[in-house]
Amino acid sequence: MKSILVSQPKPAVVEKSPFYEIAQKHRANIGYKPLIRVEGVSLKEFRAQRIEILDHTAVIFTSRSTVDSFFHIAEEARITIPETMKYICQTEAVALYLQKYIVYRKRKISFADGSFTSLIEQIVKHKEEKFLLALSEPHKPELPETLATLKLAVDPVILSRTVAADMEDVDLSTIDLLALYSPSDVKALIEKFGTENLPSIAVFGEGTLRSACKAGLKVVANAPTPAAPSMVKAIDIYLQKLAKGEEILPIEPQVDNDKEAFIRSQQSKLAKKSRTRRTTTAATAATAK
């Protein structure tokens, strides 16, 4: 019997959760407990960042929490968001969430498939815009760093922060596997319990994997991968190996050469378009003379 704690809110209908299948298949106990909570920044904290919303023509959202905070700040500051504002979202779910605040129009809302490369491609398609990048603190630096590398007009702004949740009722001595979904989960876990005598760890996302390994945690399952596109599948594979008595080696992060090559290709694409635009402008000016 394995006891697994998932760092997510308990599903409204447990029987419809994909983790329920894992519980039945492997005779495991599944518990749910968020290790973190997200709260929006205050208007005073927003203004301290010296960012003017109306100086921008597009907003990049990677989470629903930053969507909530963005429109809350705008309302509190009595800022009317123009209908011409464009929105680029990391997933379709975040894009659809915008309907809570605006009329959904495809011409001004774009979304990626959830991957880093897809989001960058969506942003590059709108390279002429002046972007406001809505971030939560802490956040992975790769997105703002990549956009700076591509020399796009982007202003990062912190709109929400992640803080540790109350974990007084968590007894890790009864847990065999802990499923973590973000670097903030890792940070909250270590701040509360330290790094000694922790259960084995399953992680979702490259950033979470890196944070867990850097902290010295034993990672035995990770997603997304070609073999395990979801956390549920990663845990299923791990439990199958465990049941067969297979040796389970700790998982380490790998260098993503494909991502580096992708960023270089986007730089080249933007540089080529910039040269073409300058050549066309120069030719037009020469003709006018």
Side-chain angles (χ1 to χ4, degrees), residues 162-186:
T162 303
V163 297
D166 179 16
M167 291 181 273
E168 294 303 320
D169 58 342
V170 176
D171 181 3
L172 291 185
S173 66
T174 65
I175 305 299
D176 297 300
L177 181 67
L178 183 56
L180 305 179
Y181 282 81
S182 72
S184 296
D185 279 338
V186 176

Side-chain angles (χ1 to χ4, degrees), residues 172 175-178 189 197-201 217-218:
L172 291 185
I175 305 299
D176 297 300
L177 181 67
L178 183 56
L189 175 71
N197 301 315
L198 295 179
S200 295
I201 305 293
L217 306 185
K218 182 184 178 182

Side-chain angles (χ1 to χ4, degrees), residues 60-270:
I60 302 168
F61 288 120
T62 58
S63 69
R64 290 183 291 185
S65 64
T66 52
V67 173
D68 285 330
S69 186
F70 174 81
F71 286 100
H72 174 74
I73 289 291
E75 181 181 13
E76 194 172 351
R78 297 182 180 178
I79 297 172
T80 300
I81 306 299
E83 291 189 1
T84 55
M85 184 71 80
K86 293 183 179 179
Y87 304 93
I88 300 175
C89 305
Q90 187 157 22
T91 65
E92 184 178 10
V94 175
L96 292 172
Y97 189 71
L98 283 168
Q99 294 178 104
K100 181 177 177 181
Y101 299 99
I102 63 172
V103 176
Y104 191 98
R105 293 193 180 97
K106 288 185 178 180
R107 63 181 175 80
K108 68 176 183 178
I109 299 176
S110 306
F111 57 85
D113 62 9
S115 68
F116 175 81
T117 53
S118 177
L119 178 60
I120 293 296
E121 287 173 340
Q122 286 295 328
I123 295 170
V124 168
K125 286 180 183 178
H126 299 84
K127 62 185 182 300
E128 304 299 335
E129 305 294 338
K130 186 171 183 183
F131 299 101
L132 183 66
L133 174 58
L135 296 170
S136 182
E137 186 64 46
H139 59 271
K140 292 190 291 185
E142 65 176 349
L143 180 55
E145 287 178 356
T146 299
L147 297 179
T149 299
L150 296 176
K151 297 181 179 180
L152 297 173
V154 181
D155 287 323
V157 61
I158 303 300
L159 291 183
S160 62
R161 66 169 60 86
T162 303
V163 297
D166 179 16
M167 291 181 273
E168 294 303 320
D169 58 342
V170 176
D171 181 3
L172 291 185
S173 66
T174 65
I175 305 299
D176 297 300
L177 181 67
L178 183 56
L180 305 179
Y181 282 81
S182 72
S184 296
D185 279 338
V186 176
K187 181 182 177 182
L189 175 71
I190 293 172
E191 287 180 349
K192 175 64 178 178
F193 300 103
T195 58
E196 300 295 324
N197 301 315
L198 295 179
S200 295
I201 305 293
V203 300
F204 187 89
E206 178 186 346
T208 314
L209 174 60
R210 292 185 181 281
S211 295
C213 291
K214 186 177 179 180
L217 306 185
K218 182 184 178 182
V219 179
V220 296
N222 74 307
T225 68
S230 68
M231 177 71 90
V232 170
K233 185 60 179 177
I235 292 176
D236 183 28
I237 292 173
Y238 164 70
L239 293 179
Q240 287 183 52
K241 290 180 178 179
L242 209 60
K244 294 176 182 177
E246 295 182 16
E247 181 182 9
I248 300 174
L249 300 175
I251 296 170
E252 298 288 343
Q254 304 295 319
V255 176
D256 193 341
N257 294 320
D258 290 340
K259 183 180 290 184
E260 295 298 323
F262 169 77
I263 293 173
R264 288 195 296 271
S265 72
Q266 293 302 308
Q267 285 179 291
S268 177
K269 184 186 298 183
L270 286 170

